[in-house]
């Protein structure tokens, strides 16, 4: 059917003119021919697919054509500068002992944060810089930690320690000073951490000990005493008790001194060619306007009071060596007279006179007896004996003290009497204390038994030291309530010296 373009009337197919208005109809004869177009209508469903295909191709091709991705690759931003700097400094740290690694670590961290926020390249370098810098820093810290421990141990073993452990003392304030004890003994520190301990400041040519020393302060001193020298049985609680006794006793001025003896010199000869330690602990402080070294001998449990040589009052101390024991004995007896109030003036005067006479005879190495009326006497039946003075700082504690040394066998005899009065009931306890102290000092095969000495009830305590020398001690309290301490040090080959003291001692 053909539709008239003028009036819209429908006309039969094939009409050339409109049956209504007579107007010519469009020549569209081929239009019906186009009717076969419906034949492809079954393909019509494909048509919608063809239409979407165009948009699908567009998104894929569009990015490639517009190059939104390839464009940044061609114009990529530069690597973050902080990341690069941190990475470089981290590497250099291997060659600068870690100095630059600290800055490398800081810059790498900042660079990583900055690159992440700005979406800049370089984060990989920042991470690498952080890792390398951290490794270098940790390695350097570990190395210095080990190195400082080694240095500290070396300094400690050679006589010095740092002031890191609660102490404000510098080692030089002790080692640069020459110290004199109240009994006149003289301690001098030298080069190479060496020392000489003279029995008298008045004579430095003979009668002295030699060796090296160790010196510790503060908490480090406490650690050394309670851990490395724990065989002495001193605990931290006991040291705390010491601190509590005096307001001047503080951690910061606490001192631990170890004299590592390697010789004992008499008459120009080293009579004790071996090594042994003498540890002391106490305090370096100022009292009454003077600097003092107030320390205790851990071997003997006796206190020492050292002052600098320049502050020492030499007018009240012995001016000669052990050879002039007459003067020393007279002085000791005089001091005993003034301090022991229970002794009568008459008895003391008589004792002083007898002591002087007896000691004058005993000063002769060839004398057949040793001792005085206060200490008692021992008959020297064998060997050649010389005078001996133990530089242990205890002279002021005795009413009288006489010592002899066997020039051949190296045996030592000691006759001592303490100034103080003692109750006889404490003798058991004292014997127990001496036994315990020998154990702390490294003695073995220790025995303690009741016996008699000079006609008095006594205790005999014996121990074997690690160098093979025996020490036998007799203690008793006489009729004047004074404590006698008699000892003999001897090697097994000189048991005769022990028997000589045991069998010939008498107290008249």
């Amino acid at each position: 059917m053909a539709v008239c373009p003028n009036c819209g009337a429908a006309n039969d197919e094939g009409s050339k003119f409109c049956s209504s208005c007579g107007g010519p109809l469009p020549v569209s004869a081929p239009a019906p021919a186009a009717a076969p177009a419906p034949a492809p209508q079954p393909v019509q469903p494909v048509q919608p697919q063809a239409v979407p295909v165009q948009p699908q191709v567009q998104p894929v091709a569009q990015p490639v054509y517009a190059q939104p991705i390839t464009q940044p690759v061609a114009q990529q931003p530069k690597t973050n500068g902080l990341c690069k700097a941190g990475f470089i400094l981290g590497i250099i740290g291997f060659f600068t002992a870690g100095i630059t690694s600290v800055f490398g670590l800081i810059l790498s961290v900042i660079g990583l944060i900055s690159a992440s926020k700005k979406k800049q390249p370089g984060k990989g370098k920042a991470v690498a810089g952080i890792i390398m810098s951290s490794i270098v820093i940790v390695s350097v810290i570990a190395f210095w930690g080990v190195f400082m421990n080694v240095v500290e141990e070396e300094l400690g073993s050679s006589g010095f320690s740092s002031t890191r452990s609660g102490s404000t003392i510098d080692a030089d304030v002790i080692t640069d000073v020459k110290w004199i004890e109240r009994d006149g003994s003289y301690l001098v520190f030298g080069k190479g951490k060496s020392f000489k301990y003279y029995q008298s400041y008045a004579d430095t040519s003979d009668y002295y000990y030699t060796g090296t020393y160790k010196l510790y302060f503060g908490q480090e001193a406490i650690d050394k005493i309670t851990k490395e020298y724990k065989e002495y049985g001193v605990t931290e609680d006991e040291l705390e008790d010491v601190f509590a006794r005096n307001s001047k006793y503080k951690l910061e001025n606490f001192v631990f001194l170890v004299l590592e003896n390697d010789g004992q010199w008499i008459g120009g000869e080293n009579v004790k060619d071996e090594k042994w330690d003498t540890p002391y602990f106490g305090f370096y402080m100022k009292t009454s306007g003077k600097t003092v070294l107030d320390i205790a001998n851990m071997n003997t449990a006796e206190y020492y009071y050292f002052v600098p040589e320049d502050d020492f009052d030499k007018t009240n101390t012995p001016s000669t060596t052990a050879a002039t024991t007459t003067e020393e004995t007279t002085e000791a007896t005089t001091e005993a007279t003034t301090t022991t109030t229970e002794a009568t003036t008459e008895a003391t005067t008589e004792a002083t006179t007898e002591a002087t006479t007896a000691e004058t005879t005993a000063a002769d190495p060839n004398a057949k007896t040793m001792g005085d009326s206060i200490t008692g006497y021992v008959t020297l039946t064998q060997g050649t004996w010389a005078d001996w003075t133990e530089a242990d700082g205890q002279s002021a504690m005795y009413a009288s003290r006489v010592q002899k040394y066997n020039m051949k066998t190296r045996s030592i005899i000691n006759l001592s009497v303490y100034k103080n009065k003692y109750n006889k009931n404490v003798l058991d306890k004292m014997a127990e204390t001496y036994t315990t102290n020998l154990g702390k000092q490294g003695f073995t095969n220790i025995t303690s038994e009741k016996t008699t000495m000079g006609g008095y009830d006594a205790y005999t305590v014996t121990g074997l030291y690690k160098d093979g020398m025996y020490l036998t001690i007799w203690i008793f309290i006489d009729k004047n309530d004074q404590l006698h301490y008699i000892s003999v040090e001897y090697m097994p080959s000189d048991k005769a010296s022990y028997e000589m003291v045991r069998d010939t001692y008498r107290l008249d």
Side-chain angles (χ1 to χ4, degrees):
M1 178 170 48
V3 179
C4 178
N6 290 323
C7 63
N11 296 280
D12 294 332
E13 295 291 340
S15 297
K16 296 182 178 180
F17 299 95
C18 176
S19 59
S20 176
C21 66
L25 296 172
V27 182
S28 55
Q41 287 300 328
V43 185
Q44 201 66 13
V46 177
Q47 217 49 19
Q49 295 233 358
V51 174
V53 167
Q54 294 296 336
Q56 267 184 342
V57 174
Q58 291 292 343
V60 174
Q62 188 66 15
V64 176
Y65 180 77
Q67 296 184 347
I69 295 176
T70 57
Q71 190 70 9
V73 172
Q75 301 178 1
Q76 186 175 5
K78 294 182 179 180
T79 300
N80 186 287
L82 294 175
C83 296
K84 184 183 295 184
F87 176 75
I88 294 174
L89 290 175
I91 295 177
I92 297 177
F94 285 101
F95 309 98
T96 61
I99 296 176
T100 60
S101 295
V102 176
F103 301 101
L105 178 61
I106 296 173
L107 294 179
S108 295
V109 172
I110 297 175
L112 179 61
I113 296 173
S114 174
S116 298
K117 288 183 177 179
K118 297 179 180 180
K119 298 182 179 180
Q120 292 177 311
K123 290 186 286 185
K125 289 185 176 180
V127 173
I130 291 173
I131 294 174
M132 287 189 296
S133 296
S134 299
I135 291 175
V136 173
I137 292 173
V138 171
S139 299
V140 170
I141 292 174
F143 169 77
W144 281 107
V146 173
F147 177 76
M148 291 307 295
N149 284 336
V150 172
V151 170
E152 185 175 342
E153 289 180 1
E154 288 296 321
L155 291 177
S157 64
S158 60
F160 289 96
S161 64
S162 68
T163 58
R164 63 171 175 80
S165 55
S167 175
T168 57
I169 301 176
D170 191 303
D172 292 344
V173 302
I174 293 179
T175 58
D176 287 350
V177 175
K178 297 178 179 179
W179 300 91
I180 301 180
E181 216 276 334
R182 285 173 295 192
D183 69 346
S185 57
Y186 189 39
L187 178 59
V188 180
F189 297 102
K191 296 181 179 180
K193 291 72 187 178
S194 63
F195 79 88
K196 286 187 177 181
Y197 191 4
Y198 301 92
Q199 65 93 26
S200 173
Y201 69 88
D203 184 0
T204 58
S205 63
D206 204 2
Y207 288 90
Y208 59 90
Y209 296 91
T210 59
T212 57
Y213 65 88
K214 297 178 182 178
L215 191 57
Y216 307 95
F217 305 101
Q219 185 60 47
E220 185 177 15
I222 293 178
D223 292 341
K224 291 290 182 181
I225 292 172
T226 58
K227 295 176 182 178
E228 294 189 18
Y229 290 80
K230 58 184 179 181
E231 66 270 18
Y232 287 90
V234 179
T235 66
E236 288 200 35
D237 289 340
E238 290 172 335
L239 292 176
E240 289 294 337
D241 290 339
V242 173
F243 294 151
R245 295 175 189 172
N246 191 318
S247 60
K248 295 182 180 180
Y249 292 170
K250 299 178 181 179
L251 179 64
E252 53 263 33
N253 64 332
F254 185 64
V255 176
F256 180 43
L257 170 66
V258 181
L259 299 184
E260 298 178 313
N261 302 273
D262 60 16
Q264 187 175 16
W265 298 81
I266 300 176
E269 179 185 356
N270 184 3
V271 299
K272 200 170 183 180
D273 189 13
E274 59 188 46
K275 294 184 178 181
W276 72 100
D277 288 354
T278 306
Y280 303 81
F281 72 83
F283 300 89
Y284 171 83
M285 58 187 183
K286 292 185 179 296
T287 179
S288 301
K290 293 184 178 181
T291 300
V292 301
L293 192 58
D294 185 8
I295 56 179
N297 184 323
M298 294 178 66
N299 285 338
T300 63
E302 300 294 344
Y303 281 91
Y304 296 72
Y305 195 83
F306 288 94
V307 297
E309 182 178 17
D310 294 339
D311 296 337
F312 186 68
D313 184 4
K314 298 180 180 179
T315 62
N316 293 326
T317 55
S319 59
T320 57
T321 63
T324 56
T325 54
T326 300
E327 181 180 350
E328 294 182 10
T329 304
T330 302
E331 179 183 353
T333 308
T334 302
E335 185 178 357
T337 302
T338 59
T339 56
T340 309
T341 58
E342 297 179 15
T344 64
T345 303
E346 181 179 357
T348 304
T349 303
E350 180 182 357
T352 302
T353 303
E354 293 181 6
T356 303
T357 303
E359 189 61 14
T360 302
T361 303
D364 181 3
N366 296 318
K368 295 182 180 181
T369 61
M370 66 173 288
D372 57 44
S373 61
I374 299 176
T375 63
Y377 300 93
V378 169
T379 302
L380 304 176
T381 59
Q382 52 84 33
T384 300
W385 298 86
D387 291 304
W388 172 262
T389 298
E390 188 76 31
D392 57 5
Q394 300 182 49
S395 295
M397 302 179 61
Y398 300 110
S400 185
R401 191 182 199 189
V402 180
Q403 297 172 301
K404 289 288 186 178
Y405 174 78
N406 190 312
M407 299 295 290
K408 182 178 181 181
T409 64
R410 301 183 181 181
S411 298
I412 298 175
I413 301 173
N414 172 27
L415 307 179
S416 301
V417 179
Y418 288 87
K419 293 178 180 179
N420 296 335
K421 299 288 186 176
Y422 289 87
N423 188 313
K424 291 181 173 60
N425 295 331
V426 304
L427 195 60
D428 293 347
K429 183 62 177 178
M430 296 184 70
E432 180 181 341
T433 300
Y434 279 115
T435 302
T436 302
N437 287 342
L438 287 185
K440 291 180 178 179
Q441 295 169 28
F443 284 84
T444 59
N445 299 338
I446 302 171
T447 61
S448 176
E449 61 179 346
K450 288 185 177 182
T451 184
T452 59
M453 195 65 170
Y456 291 89
D457 291 334
Y459 270 93
T460 303
V461 180
T462 299
L464 174 63
Y465 198 54
K466 55 188 176 182
D467 62 357
M469 178 170 281
Y470 282 93
L471 170 63
T472 297
I473 301 169
W474 292 270
I475 57 172
F476 66 88
I477 297 175
D478 65 21
K479 61 184 178 181
N480 295 320
D481 297 328
Q482 288 183 295
L483 175 65
H484 288 248
Y485 178 97
I486 301 169
S487 68
V488 56
E489 300 175 48
Y490 61 97
M491 297 299 290
S493 58
D494 188 30
K495 190 177 180 181
S497 290
Y498 154 75
E499 295 173 343
M500 178 185 70
V501 176
R502 182 195 63 189
D503 298 337
T504 69
Y505 175 81
R506 66 189 186 279
L507 179 60
D508 297 331

